[in-house]
Amino acid sequence: MRRKEKKPQKGSPKWMVTFSDMILLVLVFFVMLFSMSVIDAKKFEAIAESFQNRELLDALPSMVEFENPDQNPAQDDADSFNGLNSDQSEEEMDLDQLLHEVESYLENNNLSEHISATRDDRGVVLVLQEQLLFESGEAQILSEAEPFLNKVGTLLQSLPNLVKVEGHTDDRPISTYRYPSNWELSGARASSVIRYLVNNHSLKQNRFIATGYGETRPIAPNNSKENLRENRRVVIVISDPDFEQNLRESAGDL
């Protein structure tokens, strides 16, 4: 007797249906994982900026052999700082070296008696006394101060750093139509210095931050004429790149 021939089944094989169901479930699983995940925008931006600024890449060994094995691109960048006209990026600039260059600049331009330069965690700090820039209780820059500010502007043109300008007063109260208190006076003085620098030099406005502290941050007790004079000042901070990053992150949180 002849065996009956099995008729071929129509449609896809049964194993393919099972396989399709499994793939669909895996897809749904990963979609659920992605929907429940939270992307940290700050961390992502920080990682992207690190790659852009070569902070991570410089730390990795290179796959390309150099003609001089003792030298690498990171060392070349470090050795390329030869003065204020260097093309180094903000992250690569050594602020101790910058302070030395600024002090030399002030000395060579006869500014040391009028402007002091120091270094703190914010960066390189320049202090200009009030009598050099303004009349008492005013925020309009004196014509006698313009040569000094022009030299400061020339200095800042040579640097890529963010610049913060702070206005400070003594504790004597002020109440005028323009300046109801020391807050307005200190802020107006900081803004006047920035406006002059930007208008008279090739400096971008987005490099500057103006801050008025009023009498809240004295450097000496307000108990003598000399101390009062020291507290009335404008401070120009050439920012440390790390300090700049913290400012950007703080601004992003607002």
Side-chain angles (χ1 to χ4, degrees):
M1 295 180 65
R2 295 182 179 179
R3 295 182 180 180
K4 294 182 178 180
E5 296 181 358
K6 294 182 179 181
K7 296 181 179 180
Q9 296 180 354
K10 297 182 180 180
S12 302
K14 293 182 179 180
W15 67 267
M16 186 174 292
V17 176
T18 304
F19 181 79
S20 300
D21 291 341
M22 182 182 66
I23 294 299
L24 180 60
L25 290 175
V26 172
L27 176 61
V28 172
F29 175 75
F30 281 105
V31 170
M32 291 179 62
L33 286 180
F34 181 80
S35 64
M36 291 186 294
S37 65
V38 178
I39 300 176
D40 194 326
K42 291 184 179 179
K43 291 183 178 179
F44 180 81
E45 183 179 353
I47 293 173
E49 187 173 352
S50 296
F51 277 102
Q52 183 178 1
N53 294 329
R54 297 171 53 202
E55 292 176 357
L56 296 179
L57 296 180
D58 287 344
L60 297 176
S62 176
M63 298 297 292
V64 181
E65 295 184 359
F66 300 100
E67 294 182 2
N68 185 358
D70 296 331
Q71 198 168 24
N72 55 63
Q75 184 65 36
D76 290 340
D77 291 338
D79 294 339
S80 64
F81 183 82
N82 294 317
L84 292 175
N85 293 323
S86 172
D87 293 331
Q88 269 187 297
S89 65
E90 297 173 3
E91 289 74 13
E92 295 168 342
M93 180 167 292
D94 182 81
L95 289 186
D96 292 330
Q97 176 68 19
L98 174 59
L99 175 60
H100 175 72
E101 297 290 345
V102 170
E103 290 175 335
S104 298
Y105 178 87
L106 296 178
E107 184 177 355
N108 294 336
N109 288 272
N110 300 320
L111 297 175
S112 299
E113 296 182 0
H114 306 281
I115 304 173
S116 63
T118 57
R119 168 85 163 88
D120 62 18
D121 57 343
R122 298 175 298 169
V124 175
V125 181
L126 307 179
V127 179
L128 293 76
Q129 297 301 321
E130 175 212 40
Q131 64 270 19
L132 176 67
L133 301 174
F134 310 104
E135 293 284 356
S136 179
E138 296 294 335
Q140 184 176 358
I141 293 177
L142 298 172
S143 58
E144 296 85 353
E146 294 180 0
F148 297 101
L149 288 181
N150 287 334
K151 292 179 180 179
V152 173
T154 302
L155 169 66
L156 296 179
Q157 281 180 318
S158 307
L159 304 171
N161 303 57
L162 186 72
V163 180
K164 182 180 179 182
V165 181
E166 304 172 351
H168 299 266
T169 67
D170 57 35
D171 65 347
R172 294 179 301 175
I174 183 175
S175 180
T176 64
Y177 175 77
R178 287 186 176 182
Y179 313 114
S181 71
N182 283 322
W183 291 108
E184 287 81 7
L185 177 60
S186 60
R189 287 179 169 178
S191 300
S192 294
V193 170
I194 293 177
R195 184 168 59 252
Y196 182 87
L197 293 173
V198 170
N199 290 343
N200 293 276
H201 298 272
S202 300
L203 297 168
K204 295 182 179 180
Q205 297 185 29
N206 58 6
R207 287 183 56 193
F208 290 87
I209 297 175
T211 305
Y213 286 109
E215 71 270 17
T216 61
R217 297 193 178 185
I219 58 177
N222 290 289
N223 54 11
S224 66
K225 290 184 178 180
E226 293 182 357
N227 289 351
L228 290 172
R229 186 167 55 249
E230 288 185 11
N231 289 332
R232 298 192 302 270
R233 67 198 188 278
V234 171
V235 177
I236 298 176
V237 181
I238 304 173
S239 298
D240 186 324
D242 292 336
F243 179 76
E244 298 175 27
Q245 180 64 27
N246 293 334
L247 284 179
R248 295 190 186 101
E249 291 178 357
S250 300
D253 293 337
L254 296 179

